[in-house]
């Protein structure tokens, strides 16, 4: 760029040596001679000051080291959309035959042309483009009016992330020429909104809009959404958004909404988007949420909020209470949940037990953390849950006879699905609710009899096993002892206190102690 400055440079986006910035000042900075640009860097560590020089404030920055003064000839103000496409997608004219002179006749007069085939080839290449990726290509404007529509009429998907676009006006000038545009990524652009509001139809075909790290506000989101009557997916990651009002006439067609890494969003703000009629996927990763409640739904009832929500993502949050998952059971359409890296779901030795408790808490869930929940896993999880909290249920007024059930409000609140599980599988019997012995040294080893009901030639074996030993490890030991594949082994046990009652040991990841196996019990092995 030359050293000549015009007033319209203020607010423009620029690139300097690979770093992006916004022009905040243009003029003279005494005692230094000549024109200067004052810029605020996207990366504040790149700057040197806050917009001041020798006590005079020339512009303001959000960060004390976010500003610099730069000579205009050192700044790249970017290129237009069509030029960027040509630079990226038009093949080099490498073949000599394309460069040779050709003779064409115009009227009765022969005319020499150079590179005629090459020009036709370029136009053909551009007209066929449907997907364009111009990330970090210094695009700053639409370019000549009508040029994009004439050269690239069939573009449907555009990535314009991390460019030098500074206003929605330029975005609209581009979109106006792309009537088939369905996907638009504007992430990492700092866009000012146009002064006028008569902007309809510019994004009439748009289905996917990505605005991550743009600094957009919720009010601006709603204004932008009004231009996109058929929008289905909206990505708003890392914008410090505060949901300040309920969408009424906009976002009604949105099926996926990503609000990840907006740390100012809280539970109450989510109520404002809870009645979007078609919202099927909601991504709330890394927003700091720890709780959620649906006050319109009592115990065992479904909420009217998020009526179409099928997939919820709450990774990297502060979820530490089981009540969070109890509330999710109130969502009428929820089928898939991702809740990785929360205090309650850390990847440790208890990860499988945590998974089982979540499955038991949310009855309609089909997928957890991108892993399908098979019917057998659900049955095991619900039976384990029913048994694990059986004593608490009984102490809270539970009874095998439903007519004598007098469960406390506290228990029903903590375990809202327990009564349903009793109806599904039957109330827990007394023999299932044996009190486990304290975990002390004398109780670590269990003396068990090992029997083989289907193998009469096998002798009964007596063996001491740790109560903490998992069923999987017991099978491994038996496999080595009997020379039988682990996959063929089926285990159960019976207690001399309850003769004739056989309890299956179906969950390989649970311990003998979990199943209340005690000294002198009999382990039954089949294959």
């Amino acid at each position: 760029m030359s050293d000549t400055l015009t007033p319209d440079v203020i607010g423009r986006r620029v690139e300097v040596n690979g770093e992006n910035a916004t022009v905040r000042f243009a003029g003279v900075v005494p005692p230094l001679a000549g024109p200067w640009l004052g810029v605020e860097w996207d990366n504040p560590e790149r700057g040197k000051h806050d917009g001041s020089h020798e006590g005079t404030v020339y512009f303001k920055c959000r960060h004390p080291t976010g500003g610099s003064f730069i000579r205009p000839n050192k700044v790249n103000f970017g290129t237009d959309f069509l030029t960027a496409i040509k630079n990226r997608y038009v093949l080099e004219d490498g073949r000599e035959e394309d460069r040779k002179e050709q003779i064409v006749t115009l009227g009765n007069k022969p005319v020499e042309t150079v590179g005629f085939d090459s020009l036709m080839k370029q136009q053909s290449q551009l007209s066929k483009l449907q997907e364009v990726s111009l990330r970090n290509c210094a695009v700053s404007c639409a370019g000549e009016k009508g040029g994009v529509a004439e050269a690239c009429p069939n573009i449907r998907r555009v990535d314009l992330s991390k460019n030098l676009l500074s206003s929605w006006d330029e975005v609209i000038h581009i979109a106006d020429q792309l009537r088939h545009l369905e996907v638009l990524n504007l992430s990492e652009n700092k866009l000012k909104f146009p002064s006028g509001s008569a902007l309809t139809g510019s994004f009439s075909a748009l289905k996917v809009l990505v605005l991550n790290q743009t600094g957009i506000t919720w009010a601006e989101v709603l204004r932008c959404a009004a231009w996109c009557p058929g929008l289905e997916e909206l990505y708003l990651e890392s914008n410090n958004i505060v949901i300040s009002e309920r969408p009424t006439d906009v976002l009604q067609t949105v099926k996926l909404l990503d609000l990840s890494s907006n740390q100012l969003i809280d539970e109450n703000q989510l109520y404002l988007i809870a009645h979007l009629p078609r919202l099927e996927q909601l991504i709330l990763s890394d927003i700091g949420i720890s709780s959620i409640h649906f006050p319109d739904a009592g115990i065992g009832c479904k909420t009217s909020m998020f009526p179409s929500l099928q997939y919820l993502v709450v990774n990297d949050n502060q979820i530490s209470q089981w009540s969070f998952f109890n509330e999710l059971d109130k969502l009428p359409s929820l089928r898939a949940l991702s809740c990785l890296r929360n205090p309650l779901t850390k990847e440790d030795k208890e990860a499988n037990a945590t998974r089982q408790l979540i499955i038991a808490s949310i009855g309609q869930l089909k997928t957890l953390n991108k892993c399908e929940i098979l019917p057998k896993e659900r049955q095991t999880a619900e039976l384990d849950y029913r048994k694990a909290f059986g004593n608490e249920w009984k102490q809270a007024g539970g009874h095998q006879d439903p007519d004598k059930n007098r469960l406390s409000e506290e228990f029903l609140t903590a375990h809202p699905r327990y009564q349903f599980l009793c109806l599904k599988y039957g109330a827990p019997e007394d023999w299932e609710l044996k009190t486990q012995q304290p975990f002390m040294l004398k109780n670590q080893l269990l003396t068990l009899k090992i029997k083989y009901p289907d193998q009469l030639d096998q002798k009964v074996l007596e063996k001491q096993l740790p109560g903490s030993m998992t069923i999987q490890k017991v099978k491994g030991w038996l496999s080595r002892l009997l020379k039988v594949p682990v996959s063929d082994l089926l285990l159960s046990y019976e207690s001399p206190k309850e003769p004739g009652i056989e309890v299956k040991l179906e969950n390989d990841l649970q311990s003998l102690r979990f199943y209340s196996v005690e000294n002198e019990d009999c382990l039954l092995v089949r294959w």
Side-chain angles (χ1 to χ4, degrees), residues 7-68:
D8 66 354
V9 299
I10 304 299
R12 291 277 298 276
R13 299 281 291 161
V14 295
E15 181 266 328
V16 184
N17 297 326
E19 294 275 0
N20 290 355
T22 302
V23 178
R24 301 297 187 197
F25 167 83
V28 179
V29 183
L32 304 172
W36 291 88
L37 293 176
V39 301
E40 181 179 9
W41 300 99
D42 290 2
N43 175 14
E45 296 180 2
R46 174 68 173 78
K48 298 180 179 179
H49 51 71
D50 62 356
S52 304
H53 180 67
E54 294 188 354
T56 300
V57 178
Y58 292 90
F59 63 97
K60 293 183 178 180
C61 294
R62 287 166 293 182
H63 194 278
T65 61
S68 294

Side-chain angles (χ1 to χ4, degrees), residues 351-366:
N352 183 69
T354 300
R355 176 180 171 86
Q356 300 299 301
L357 284 170
I358 294 173
I359 292 172
S361 298
I362 308 175
Q364 68 273 26
L365 210 59
K366 301 295 183 184

Side-chain angles (χ1 to χ4, degrees), residues 194-298:
S195 54
S197 59
L199 292 167
T200 57
S202 295
F203 302 91
S204 57
L206 198 68
K207 295 180 180 179
V208 180
L209 180 59
V210 187
L211 296 172
N212 299 334
Q213 299 180 58
T214 58
I216 195 168
T217 67
W218 185 249
E220 291 170 342
V221 168
L222 300 185
R223 184 176 175 185
C224 180
W227 308 335
C228 312
L231 192 64
E232 295 182 0
E233 298 183 15
L234 179 58
Y235 298 84
L236 300 169
E237 181 180 340
S238 302
N239 282 305
N240 286 323
I241 280 176
V242 174
I243 302 175
S244 54
E245 59 182 295
R246 179 175 174 175
T248 51
D249 300 326
V250 296
L251 301 181
Q252 302 302 300
T253 59
V254 167
K255 297 180 180 179
L256 184 153
L257 180 59
D258 185 354
L259 293 168
S260 298
S261 300
N262 287 288
Q263 294 280 338
L264 300 178
I265 292 177
D266 60 26
E267 176 185 351
N268 291 325
Q269 293 176 42
L270 295 179
Y271 296 149
L272 295 174
I273 60 170
H275 297 283
L276 293 175
R278 300 186 185 178
L279 186 61
E280 297 176 358
Q281 299 184 52
L282 180 59
I283 305 174
L284 300 175
S285 295
D286 187 34
I287 67 169
I289 194 170
S290 60
S291 64
I292 193 166
H293 298 90
F294 301 111
D296 65 323

Side-chain angles (χ1 to χ4, degrees), residues 292-308:
I292 193 166
H293 298 90
F294 301 111
D296 65 323
I299 295 171
C301 299
K302 298 299 182 184
T303 178
S304 62
M305 300 183 187
F306 299 103
S308 301

Side-chain angles (χ1 to χ4, degrees), residues 156-160 168 171 175 181-187 203 206 208-211:
R156 282 169 163 76
R157 295 173 291 278
V158 176
D159 182 355
L160 277 170
W168 278 97
V171 175
L181 185 62
E182 296 178 356
V183 180
L184 178 60
N185 186 349
L186 295 170
S187 298
F203 302 91
L206 198 68
V208 180
L209 180 59
V210 187
L211 296 172

Side-chain angles (χ1 to χ4, degrees), residues 63-130:
H63 194 278
T65 61
S68 294
F69 290 108
I70 297 176
R71 292 294 189 185
N73 61 2
K74 302 292 185 182
V75 168
N76 176 17
F77 276 87
T79 187
D80 65 85
F81 181 77
L82 185 55
T83 299
I85 288 180
K86 289 179 179 178
N87 291 340
R88 183 74 183 269
Y89 289 96
V90 173
L91 299 177
E92 293 294 331
D93 306 323
R95 300 196 315 176
E96 281 299 318
E97 53 266 34
D98 288 342
R99 298 169 185 260
K100 292 179 181 178
E101 295 183 353
Q102 298 181 16
I103 306 297
V104 298
T105 302
L106 299 178
N108 297 320
K109 185 178 180 180
V111 177
E112 293 182 357
T113 65
V114 179
F116 187 77
D117 284 352
S118 176
L119 179 61
M120 295 297 292
K121 186 191 299 180
Q122 289 182 16
Q123 293 175 344
S124 175
Q125 288 171 349
L126 294 178
S127 66
K128 292 178 180 177
L129 282 176
Q130 292 192 17

